[in-house]
Amino acid sequence: MERTTAGWGNGLMGVIIFSGSLPATRVAVLDFSPLFLTSARAAIAALLGAVFLFAFRQARPGRRDAFSLAIVALGVVIGFPLLTGLALQHVTAAHSIVFIGLLPLATAIFGVLRGGEQPQPAFWLFSIVGAATVAGFALSRSDGGSLVGDFLMIAAILLCGLGYAEGATLSRRLGGWQVISWALLLSLPLMAAIALFTLPQNWDGVGASAWIGLAYVSIFSMLVGFVFWYRGLALGGIAGVGQLQLLQPFFGLTLAAVFLHEPITWTMMASTIVVVLCVAGAKRFA
């Protein structure tokens, strides 16, 4: 019981940290190209991860872990940040929430395929209802999207779900922060090269908000959030804890209300209540 509780607590902290990712990305791509943002955030996080790995003298992963680390790097270090960055040039952050609502379901499916988990049938019912609630709420607030943007978001969600499940499975052997740190370090040569190749031509045109967005996605979205998230998935179960992602859009909207003074509507409150009930139900039957 203590292990499961710790897993859900860590997972919730990870979701809270991730809730600022899309708004920060949306701000950053106004002045940075998606390729530079993706590569720079990964390179910065990799350097920080390397410091921790070598400071705590962590043993190198074995050869059997190389393939899993490559999947993690492809899914959450390269794929999701790049594809969402490209997508947010075509759709709004509000519209992207439609697809973020599908991420818990994708994570659960890959948790079954890659993690060997077997949730009860009722779990899938709660998961689908929760995903539909988030998607419906997001659609009611969205000003529309584009076919290209929607396709990019779907691809991003599939890769992210795979990376989450693979990383959580590997975390049971290596530890949560070690997995994301090694995955970042594995991708560092490629990401550093791309970052140098895509450097902005005019640094004077980069505003303070873009720098803040880059700092947030580099330190928190790319590293600190995964420390909690992978530990949560490993301790509490991939399928179950993954449903906490349903709360991510509402955390993001709450932050917008606090810092940007955006209104909190009754539909947001009603959707949040439904989602909380779905998360509780999914936890019960995961």
Side-chain angles (χ1 to χ4, degrees), residues 2 7-8 14 17 59 67 74 84 121 143 151 157 174 186 195 239 280 284:
E2 291 182 1
W8 282 77
I17 293 172
F67 179 71
L74 176 64
T84 53
D143 58 358
F151 176 79
I157 292 305
L174 299 182
L186 179 65
R284 170 68 177 80

Side-chain angles (χ1 to χ4, degrees), residues 81-215:
L82 176 60
L83 292 174
T84 53
L86 291 171
L88 287 169
Q89 291 188 321
H90 301 276
V91 301
T92 63
H95 185 76
S96 67
I97 295 175
V98 177
F99 301 93
I100 296 300
L102 301 176
L103 185 52
L105 190 58
T107 303
I109 292 173
F110 284 115
V112 172
L113 297 177
R114 300 295 299 175
E117 296 190 353
Q118 296 180 337
Q120 299 179 45
F123 164 85
W124 297 107
L125 175 62
F126 283 108
S127 181
I128 292 172
V129 171
T133 300
V134 174
F137 171 77
L139 282 172
S140 70
R141 295 173 56 91
S142 175
D143 58 358
S146 72
L147 184 61
V148 173
D150 291 351
F151 176 79
L152 289 169
M153 282 302 304
I154 291 174
I157 292 305
L158 291 175
L159 281 177
C160 190
L162 175 60
Y164 280 168
E166 194 71 29
T169 302
L170 192 58
S171 293
R172 295 166 183 166
R173 295 201 304 271
L174 299 182
W177 71 269
Q178 292 92 333
V179 167
I180 189 60
S181 296
W182 285 118
L184 286 165
L185 202 57
L186 179 65
S187 64
L188 178 58
L190 175 62
M191 293 293 97
I194 295 175
L196 290 174
F197 185 75
T198 58
L199 284 171
Q201 295 182 352
N202 181 16
W203 292 99
D204 294 334
V206 180
S209 59
W211 285 112
I212 294 173
L214 173 60

Side-chain angles (χ1 to χ4, degrees), residues 1-10 232 235-237 241 283:
M1 179 62 70
E2 291 182 1
R3 179 184 176 89
T4 301
T5 302
W8 282 77
N10 278 271
L235 292 176
V241 174
K283 181 179 184 297

Side-chain angles (χ1 to χ4, degrees), residues 214-229:
L214 173 60
Y216 187 92
V217 297
S218 300
I219 299 172
F220 294 98
S221 303
M222 200 76 266
L223 184 61
V224 177
F226 279 102
V227 174
F228 293 99
W229 184 239

